[in-house]
Amino acid sequence: MNERGEVVPEAGDPSLSEDDVRLYWEIRRGDDDLSADDPRLENLRSLGVVFTEPLTGKPGARPPHRVERELIRRELDGVERRLRRIRRIPSVLGALDQVASGGRCDTDAVEIVKAPAVVDHLLHNAIEASSVIWSSQTRPRHAERLAVSAVRDVAILKAGGVRYRSLYPASARGRAPEADYARMTAETGAAESRTSSRRFPRMIITDTLGMISDRRRGEGGSEPAIVVRDPALLAWLREEYELHWEASDPWFPAPEGSPSNRELVERDILRMLSGGSTREAITRTLDISPRTYTTYMAALRERFRVRTNEQLMYELGRRRDTAADG
């Protein structure tokens, strides 16, 4: 027993779940408002890891040496797993760049598949076994194929058991086939579509497989597909997708007063200019031509009644400061 009369295991590694580890560190940091009689603490309490503070009545943690060492080891193992995943990311990005440029893939982190029939087979099997499908499109989708897909996907969504998240470029809002597909799938209540003026890769991610294709081409064709199956890399792909998703705008149902396509692009141009991005970086990220960029900048200067980009940035900052003070 310890000084509080609680039993302390003398030897052996404790049988701790991931939830036990998380709760332990929350108590140690004082991050969580847990009560001493919380049933989730039962295992930690039985090991003598958790006790009740006599003055506050809150749970406290004063673990035996072996328990402390085990928990630290687990946390370090988790850090090492994340580091291994981070170290593999450059090889995947390098593979994508090589394939997009027509080169060879010299890494085993991903698989390159070129036959459309094989791509379709892999996708079909992965979608059948998944609960969520994340997808993004970078170019206009073929109208006839999209009409067939709409009928099939609406039936799948109405049957239940799967949810869709679809990300499109802002320009898709003005294309009837894609707008109809987004509306029809959204009406099932199991799908959500968003649009963004930022540039992102064309990909489909399932629970077990991620597939990325050459973003310079449209739907179909013979572009190679980069297939990712490694769980850590899949997790990274989902994180990348979520970053784009959170920065995008809902399509259906559209929020009241939602911005137009032009407003979306203008907003992103101003955001990137404020962050110090160059003209080349903006056109590449937003996937617009230099001529389109020039047109937008002329309209923005006229709206803000300035003559140069420097004056535009000054005026934008002044208005933000005024709004913040108000």
Side-chain angles (χ1 to χ4, degrees):
M1 291 187 177
N2 60 18
E3 67 272 19
R4 299 181 183 277
E6 294 169 316
V7 177
V8 176
E10 295 182 357
D13 289 337
S15 176
L16 296 171
S17 67
E18 293 299 321
D19 287 339
D20 288 335
V21 174
R22 178 180 57 79
L23 287 169
Y24 164 77
W25 287 116
E26 286 178 355
I27 294 171
R28 291 279 286 182
R29 291 190 300 262
D31 291 346
D32 203 8
D33 190 20
L34 291 168
S35 63
D37 58 354
D38 193 309
R40 293 176 297 170
L41 302 178
E42 181 178 352
N43 191 38
L44 290 171
R45 187 180 293 279
S46 68
L47 293 167
V49 177
V50 168
F51 59 87
T52 302
E53 295 280 3
L55 296 179
T56 64
K58 295 291 184 180
R62 186 177 295 171
H65 203 54
R66 290 179 181 275
V67 177
E68 176 88 349
R69 194 162 58 239
E70 167 70 7
L71 294 177
I72 291 174
R73 184 189 66 77
R74 290 189 180 200
E75 186 150 302
L76 289 175
D77 286 347
V79 171
E80 180 59 29
R81 285 194 299 271
R82 288 192 291 273
L83 285 175
R84 284 198 299 268
R85 191 181 80 185
I86 291 170
R87 292 188 194 108
R88 295 190 69 185
I89 288 173
S91 67
V92 177
L93 296 179
L96 302 186
D97 289 340
Q98 289 176 42
V99 173
S101 303
R104 295 179 57 188
C105 175
D106 57 3
T107 175
D108 59 359
V110 296
E111 176 187 358
I112 308 302
V113 179
K114 296 185 178 181
V118 176
V119 171
D120 291 343
H121 178 71
L122 289 172
L123 273 180
H124 175 78
N125 289 342
I127 290 173
E128 285 287 315
S130 297
S131 58
V132 182
I133 310 298
W134 299 265
S135 69
S136 60
Q137 299 289 336
T138 56
R139 289 290 186 267
R141 299 182 66 182
H142 192 280
E144 293 181 2
R145 292 176 184 161
L146 195 56
V148 174
S149 296
V151 175
R152 178 200 62 204
D153 292 344
V154 166
I156 292 173
L157 292 166
K158 286 183 175 179
V162 65
R163 298 187 62 83
Y164 283 4
R165 272 191 170 186
S166 302
L167 189 59
Y168 291 88
S171 57
R173 289 176 180 259
R175 297 193 288 265
E178 286 160 295
D180 289 342
Y181 176 88
R183 175 183 51 77
M184 291 170 64
T185 53
E187 287 174 351
T188 67
E192 185 179 359
S193 296
R194 291 190 178 188
T195 63
S196 173
S197 54
R198 296 166 179 81
R199 197 174 191 180
F200 48 84
R202 178 174 174 240
M203 60 184 172
I204 295 178
I205 308 172
T206 71
D207 292 343
T208 58
L209 179 144
M211 191 170 288
I212 311 162
S213 60
D214 187 346
R215 66 184 180 189
R216 298 178 303 170
R217 307 188 187 187
E219 185 181 38
S222 58
E223 71 269 22
I226 297 90
V227 180
V228 177
R229 292 188 179 88
D230 180 79
L233 292 175
L234 274 178
W236 169 68
L237 272 181
R238 293 190 193 103
E239 289 170 7
E240 289 294 303
Y241 187 96
E242 288 299 327
L243 289 175
H244 289 292
W245 183 263
E246 293 301 325
S248 302
D249 299 278
W251 194 344
F252 291 107
E256 185 176 351
S258 58
S260 65
N261 294 353
R262 186 180 188 87
E263 290 170 331
L264 291 173
V265 177
E266 288 180 348
R267 180 190 64 187
D268 284 339
I269 288 176
L270 290 175
R271 174 184 58 80
M272 294 188 70
L273 279 174
S274 299
S277 296
T278 63
R279 168 184 173 140
E280 291 73 19
I282 293 173
T283 55
R284 183 176 63 254
T285 301
L286 302 185
D287 200 17
I288 58 177
S289 68
R291 178 176 294 181
T292 300
Y293 171 84
T294 300
T295 301
Y296 276 113
M297 289 305 301
L300 287 167
R301 289 194 296 269
E302 182 178 353
R303 181 188 307 169
F304 282 85
R305 297 183 179 180
V306 297
R307 300 180 64 183
T308 67
N309 290 352
E310 290 75 14
Q311 291 173 344
L312 175 63
M313 289 296 96
Y314 174 82
E315 180 64 17
L316 184 63
R318 187 188 67 79
R319 294 190 185 191
R320 285 175 177 167
D321 292 342
T322 301
D325 293 339

